[in-house]
Each structure stands twice: as structure tokens, then as C-alpha cells.
């Protein structure tokens, strides 16, 4: 089957469980003064993601993400797939993303300025910190309570 046309995708898109590969074509126009960006695929269960960026010589530079890829080999030590992008102010960047997975395919893709990414990730990790802090507190409380009860007997 040959497809010559890309269809627009609005917001986050879910394709369910499939073994198909999906191609996403995009153009980024940087209307800010920020040159460094993070392309975030906010779904960690995708098996394989390829990013193809067209450079100034109209050649494609490719990078990839695999779910089994160790954190040390990722562009950024983050729980979800992220890719470093450089888009000069008032310039455009064209690229393609190929996504393949044997599990569910969900495509929440965000472009975040690198200077804002730390605040973004802290906002997502903060609830985890509260949750685990409460769990640790409950474990310590129960251990102390058990020791107090055994000492009382």
C-alpha cells in the first residue's frame, strides 16, 4: 500500500494496540529567542522511535529511542523519550518521526524549550515525591509503633 498524503493529527492521538508503524511529519517555526528545545514523547511504553531532521543541506540526520535503551545512552535522563533539537530563532525545522510498538500506541508529543524543561519535569516528579514520602513515613511509623508495642508487653 502506498500513501502519499499525511493526515493532520489534532491533540494527543491514540491508535490502540497495533503492530503498525506510524510516520509523523512536522515543521517547527521558532518565533522565540530560545534556540534549544526538547521534543518529548510523553508515553514511555513505545518500543521504537526514530527522529529524522532535515538539515540545511537538505540531508536527514537521524536519531532513535528504544524502550530497552539504557539511560546513559539517552539524550536526556528522563523517564519518557526525549530528543534534543536546535532551532535557531526565526528559523524553521522540518522532520519526521517514525513510531513503532507492539503495545498500545499513544502519541502525546510536546515541544518544550530546554530552559523550561527542568520546571516541567519537576512539576511531573513532585507528586511522585509526595507519594513516596508519605509511603516512607507510613513505613517508619509502623516500624516504630511495632517496636513500641513489643516493648510495652
Amino acid at each position: 500500500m502506498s500513501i502519499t498524503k499525511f493526515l493532520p493529527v489534532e491533540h494527543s492521538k491514540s491508535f490502540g494496540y497495533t503492530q503498525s508503524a506510524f510516520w509523523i511529519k512536522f515543521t517547527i517555526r521558532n518565533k522565540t529567542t530560545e534556540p534549544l528545545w526538547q521534543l518529548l514523547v510523553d508515553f514511555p511504553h513505545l518500543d521504537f522511535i526514530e527522529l529524522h531532521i532535515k538539515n540545511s543541506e537538505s540531508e536527514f540526520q537521524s536519531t532513535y529511542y528504544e524502550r530497552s535503551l539504557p539511560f546513559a545512552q539517552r539524550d536526556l535522563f528522563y523517564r519518557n523519550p526525549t530528543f534534543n533539537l536546535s532551532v535557531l530563532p526565526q528559523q524553521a525545522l522540518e522532520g519526521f518521526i517514525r513510531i513503532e510498538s507492539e503495545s498500545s500506541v499513544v502519541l502525546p508529543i510536546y515541544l518544550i524549550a530546554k530552559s523550561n524543561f527542568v520546571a516541567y519535569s519537576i512539576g511531573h516528579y513532585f507528586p511522585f515525591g509526595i507519594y513516596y514520602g508519605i509511603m516512607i513515613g507510613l513505613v517508619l511509623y509502623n516500624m516504630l509503633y511495632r517496636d513500641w508495642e513489643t516493648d510495652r508487653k
Side-chain angles (χ1 to χ4, degrees), residues 30 32-39 83-89 111-117:
N30 188 357
T32 69
T33 58
E34 179 72 40
L36 300 175
W37 296 84
Q38 290 298 135
L39 183 70
F83 298 96
N84 294 323
L85 294 179
S86 178
V87 186
L88 296 175
L111 186 65
I112 303 170
K114 191 150 188 142
S115 59
N116 296 335
F117 192 79

Side-chain angles (χ1 to χ4, degrees), residues 27-30 54-55 86-94:
T27 302
I28 299 170
R29 290 178 184 79
N30 188 357
K54 190 186 286 189
N55 62 19
S86 178
V87 186
L88 296 175
Q90 309 307 320
Q91 297 292 319
L93 181 90
E94 186 178 335

Side-chain angles (χ1 to χ4, degrees), residues 7-113:
L7 303 174
V9 175
E10 295 181 21
H11 308 293
S12 176
K13 189 69 176 169
S14 175
F15 294 99
Y17 286 90
T18 180
Q19 292 183 354
S20 299
F22 295 91
W23 284 89
I24 300 166
K25 179 182 178 184
F26 63 91
T27 302
I28 299 170
R29 290 178 184 79
N30 188 357
K31 296 180 181 180
T32 69
T33 58
E34 179 72 40
L36 300 175
W37 296 84
Q38 290 298 135
L39 183 70
L40 169 66
V41 181
D42 206 10
F43 190 70
H45 306 293
L46 298 171
D47 293 334
F48 191 75
I49 303 171
E50 292 177 48
L51 176 66
H52 306 279
I53 300 295
K54 190 186 286 189
N55 62 19
S56 58
E57 292 86 34
S58 294
E59 297 174 345
F60 283 94
Q61 295 176 331
S62 300
T63 185
Y64 72 96
Y65 162 89
E66 278 188 80
R67 185 166 51 177
S68 61
L69 192 67
F71 268 76
Q73 294 178 7
R74 295 183 181 186
D75 282 351
L76 185 68
F77 300 150
Y78 189 65
R79 62 189 175 102
N80 292 332
T82 58
F83 298 96
N84 294 323
L85 294 179
S86 178
V87 186
L88 296 175
Q90 309 307 320
Q91 297 292 319
L93 181 90
E94 186 178 335
F96 295 89
I97 300 174
R98 181 181 182 272
I99 296 178
E100 187 176 355
S101 187
E102 291 183 3
S103 65
S104 64
V105 176
V106 180
L107 303 178
I109 300 174
Y110 303 102
L111 186 65
I112 303 170

